[in-house]
Amino acid sequence: MCFISITNPLDDRMKYQKSWKGEMQVSQWAEFEAFVEDIMKAEHIPGVAVAVSENGKTIYQKGFGTRDLETNEPVTPDTIFGVASVTKSFTALAIMKLVEEGKLQIADPVTKYLPQFQLIGYDDIDDITIHHLLSHTTGIATMKRVEQLDGFDEHLRYINKVERTVLGRPGEFICYNNDLFLLLGAIIEQVTGESYQDYIKKLLLKPLGMNRTTYSLDELQSFDNVTTPYVLEDGKPKPCEWPTLGNYAVGGGIRSTVKDLLKYGNVFVAQQEIIGHESIARMAEPVHYTSGNSFYGYALQITPNYSGVTIVEHGGGQPGVSSNFGFIPERGIVAAVLTNLSDVSASAIWLAAVNTALGLSIDQKRSTEPHFDMKPEQLQRMVGTYRSGEGLEVNITLEDQKMMATVSDKTYELRASDESTLVVMMPIEKPIRFFFDEDNDAWAIFLGLRMLMKQVS
């Protein structure tokens, strides 16, 4: 008996398209890997981990370099790094869950749950709401960090008496304020009757199977494949201690892996049912403009209309940590990048990974700042030293008709993009927005989500 096989030409075409798509993706990821290696070399990064998923399926994961320069052990997708301020979205998600359960409201004043929250000399304390804590729009500038404080009650006493700068009314300005953000942890404890960390574990870490994720430095010692954190000194990575953080763990205390962060990210792209879609969407709604085409929401930064999709992300930085995490809701894409060196381009690596997953040019930017010719007298009014409460200092100088910025002992050339903005020219351009008073003198700059105040000589 003879069997005749009839082949459908459409099947052949689909097989060819799948094969071609696979080859194209392999080629694109090879370009991405070369991009990562170039950044690692240029910025002296010991180790990087990257993972990307689409609709709950991992489409790329890889470790680059070493987690420890002394032992030369390789980074893998299971290597534990610090995630720093990526932690903030965990806290915000917990708050949104309590809103969903009717246990609090976003518009509630902070004093409803923390009546001991006071700011000496600030008369309208009840105007500061949970919404303002989540979006860093309290109108209170960054404060000096005191990581040795023990418990939220002690931190509330510190906030009350510490010297602070009032930028304006709540909602008027955006300025990162870790000391006020961490009050969300105190609110969670007040509402649930549980410790903040226990509540996050119960709500997210355990149900999602994030078994290599922890807040605890003691628990961290029990894991294998943990990175050594590094800071750059004299052009070379030098090991540093993990920061203890104290109450600041609410906004930066998680240590995790890129694989675990994909599990977490799937909550945001409807692959895990921890919280309702409306609550997730609320977190990713723009609250305040930041720069370029981007806005800040609730512990997430949003760039709408990025080649037809929305980029939602958050970065983080600590001694020994540079991180970036986020998702593309329309495509179900989640991406995470973790590194073990401070102040490096995790954000650039993350965007390159997202571009690769979207099939875009690897060097496409969130936005491109225009070029603007500024008169010398306009440039001169921007010159000065600017400082945040946390101690970040930026020195703006005019040298041979060129604007320069010195940040953390690194000096960068600047260019103007409009009458109130200078741009740091880096792998990803960073705009510095200037604020002027009635006399047209600069009184602050906005950089890295922080307002830095001009220092009076």
Side-chain angles (χ1 to χ4, degrees):
M1 185 176 293
C2 178
F3 292 92
I4 299 175
S5 174
I6 300 177
T7 303
N8 186 334
L10 179 60
D11 292 338
D12 286 343
R13 193 181 314 131
M14 291 178 66
K15 289 178 183 177
Y16 170 78
Q17 288 174 342
K18 289 179 180 178
S19 172
W20 175 82
K21 184 178 180 181
E23 292 174 2
M24 180 183 70
Q25 287 177 339
V26 168
S27 174
Q28 284 180 319
W29 287 115
E31 182 184 5
F32 168 75
E33 290 173 5
F35 178 89
V36 174
E37 289 164 0
D38 286 346
I39 287 185
M40 291 178 69
K41 182 178 180 180
E43 301 187 9
H44 310 286
I45 307 172
V48 175
V50 181
V52 184
S53 65
E54 186 169 6
N55 297 323
K57 180 181 178 181
T58 299
I59 60 174
Y60 182 83
Q61 58 179 352
K62 185 170 181 176
F64 298 80
T66 180
R67 58 185 169 93
D68 189 299
L69 288 169
E70 186 173 337
T71 63
N72 205 32
E73 294 167 296
V75 169
T76 74
D78 287 309
T79 300
I80 297 176
F81 295 77
V83 310
S85 284
V86 172
T87 304
K88 287 183 170 65
S89 63
F90 286 73
T91 301
L93 195 64
I95 290 288
M96 297 308 296
K97 182 65 175 179
L98 295 174
V99 171
E100 190 173 82
E101 293 173 345
K103 295 178 179 178
L104 54 77
Q105 299 295 323
I106 291 297
D108 286 342
V110 175
T111 51
K112 178 176 179 178
Y113 305 95
L114 305 174
Q116 66 273 50
F117 173 49
Q118 299 294 324
L119 301 171
I120 290 178
Y122 191 93
D123 296 330
D124 300 318
I125 195 70
D126 290 343
D127 291 344
I128 298 178
T129 67
I130 292 174
H131 163 85
H132 297 125
L133 299 186
L134 287 167
S135 57
H136 293 286
T137 56
T138 61
I140 308 297
T142 305
M143 302 176 184
K144 181 181 178 181
R145 290 172 70 99
V146 185
E147 295 183 358
Q148 65 268 29
L149 295 178
D150 184 19
F152 294 124
D153 286 342
E154 189 173 352
H155 213 105
L156 282 160
R157 289 192 292 271
Y158 165 70
I159 289 171
N160 186 19
K161 68 181 182 181
V162 70
E163 182 181 349
R164 73 191 73 86
T165 299
V166 178
L167 301 169
R169 299 284 304 161
E172 188 176 357
F173 293 92
I174 182 170
C175 180
Y176 225 58
N177 192 316
N178 282 300
D179 289 88
L180 295 186
F181 185 91
L182 67 81
L183 296 183
L184 293 168
I187 292 172
I188 288 170
E189 292 194 350
Q190 184 68 27
V191 171
T192 65
E194 302 178 51
S195 79
Y196 160 76
Q197 293 187 19
D198 285 347
Y199 184 74
I200 298 295
K201 290 175 187 176
K202 183 180 76 173
L203 177 68
L204 295 169
L205 304 190
K206 289 183 179 179
L208 294 173
M210 297 178 68
N211 299 321
R212 290 181 59 77
T213 299
T214 182
Y215 282 89
S216 169
L217 288 178
D218 290 336
E219 186 177 7
L220 192 65
Q221 304 307 313
S222 68
F223 286 108
D224 61 355
N225 195 3
V226 178
T227 188
T228 297
Y230 292 90
V231 294
L232 203 64
E233 288 190 7
D234 300 322
K236 295 181 180 180
K238 180 182 177 181
C240 66
E241 296 294 326
W242 288 103
T244 54
L245 297 176
N247 297 321
Y248 296 97
V250 173
I254 288 178
R255 283 86 181 184
S256 188
T257 71
V258 290
K259 289 174 69 174
D260 270 9
L261 288 178
L262 291 191
K263 297 175 184 178
Y264 169 62
N266 280 324
V267 174
F268 292 93
V269 294
Q271 298 300 312
Q272 294 285 348
E273 296 183 5
I274 298 287
I275 187 171
H277 174 73
E278 289 185 5
S279 298
I280 293 292
R282 181 78 182 274
M283 285 180 64
E285 287 180 3
V287 172
H288 205 289
Y289 173 73
T290 54
S291 62
N293 297 327
S294 298
F295 302 80
Y296 201 84
Y298 290 167
L300 292 169
Q301 187 153 329
I302 304 103
T303 305
N305 303 317
Y306 183 82
S307 291
V309 297
T310 307
I311 292 177
V312 187
E313 61 185 303
H314 207 288
Q318 284 171 0
V321 179
S322 296
S323 61
N324 215 80
F325 158 85
F327 54 95
I328 312 295
E330 298 91 345
R331 288 282 302 272
I333 290 173
V334 179
V337 172
L338 300 174
T339 81
N340 55 359
L341 183 65
S342 313
D343 300 320
V344 297
S345 299
S347 175
I349 295 171
W350 184 87
L351 187 60
V354 166
N355 285 339
T356 303
L358 291 171
L360 303 174
S361 171
I362 198 167
D363 57 359
Q364 181 166 315
K365 310 300 182 188
R366 294 169 183 82
S367 62
T368 302
E369 291 288 322
H371 287 259
F372 181 80
D373 290 328
M374 194 175 290
K375 299 176 181 178
E377 58 269 22
Q378 292 176 299
L379 294 172
Q380 189 61 50
R381 66 187 179 145
M382 298 175 167
V383 170
T385 298
Y386 301 81
R387 188 176 299 130
S388 75
E390 290 175 317
L392 176 63
E393 185 171 290
V394 176
N395 189 31
I396 307 290
T397 57
L398 179 59
E399 304 172 11
D400 298 326
Q401 301 305 309
K402 291 183 179 179
M403 295 296 286
M404 310 294 291
T406 301
V407 188
S408 301
D409 298 324
K410 296 179 182 178
T411 300
Y412 306 94
E413 186 175 346
L414 307 172
R415 66 171 179 83
S417 63
D418 61 41
E419 292 184 348
S420 60
T421 307
L422 299 177
V423 181
V424 181
M425 293 182 281
M426 298 175 67
I428 288 186
E429 293 182 338
K430 291 188 177 182
I432 303 176
R433 191 146 45 101
F434 288 74
F435 291 82
F436 300 94
D437 59 23
E438 295 178 353
D439 296 324
N440 212 23
D441 293 324
W443 61 271
I445 60 173
F446 182 71
L447 173 65
L449 297 177
R450 289 164 171 82
M451 293 282 284
L452 284 71
M453 313 307 294
K454 189 173 185 178
Q455 303 301 295
V456 179
S457 57

